[in-house]
Amino acid sequence: AGKPFPRLYQMCGISDLLLEDNRKFSRYLQERNIPLEYHEVEGTHEWGLWDRVLPDVLKFVFND
């Protein structure tokens, strides 16, 4: 309460079984003006996708 909310990064593959849940959560945060960077990319819920997007996540974390 009274503290700024941390920036969040959310990413989901468009073939991921959790895509619709990710979209709902993203809308929930946006409706509450919670800072969020949201991305949908080609891929599924697997290591190959996470390996591919890890550089973008690290840029988000370390290039504040």
Side-chain angles (χ1 to χ4, degrees):
K3 295 181 182 179
F5 207 91
R7 296 177 316 131
L8 300 175
Y9 186 96
Q10 181 183 5
M11 183 278 308
C12 190
I14 60 173
S15 298
D16 193 318
L17 295 175
L18 299 173
L19 178 60
E20 200 51 45
D21 290 330
N22 275 270
R23 287 175 174 168
K24 287 178 186 177
F25 185 62
S26 172
R27 284 192 299 272
Y28 175 86
L29 295 176
Q30 291 172 358
E31 289 167 358
R32 285 152 182 80
N33 295 317
I34 295 173
L36 172 69
E37 185 165 327
Y38 177 73
H39 299 276
E40 293 181 5
V41 296
E42 289 291 329
T44 62
H45 196 88
E46 50 88 22
W47 283 108
L49 170 64
W50 302 327
D51 286 343
R52 199 171 72 237
V53 300
L54 184 58
D56 293 330
V57 174
L58 293 174
K59 285 179 191 174
F60 176 82
V61 170
F62 293 109
N63 287 338
D64 190 6

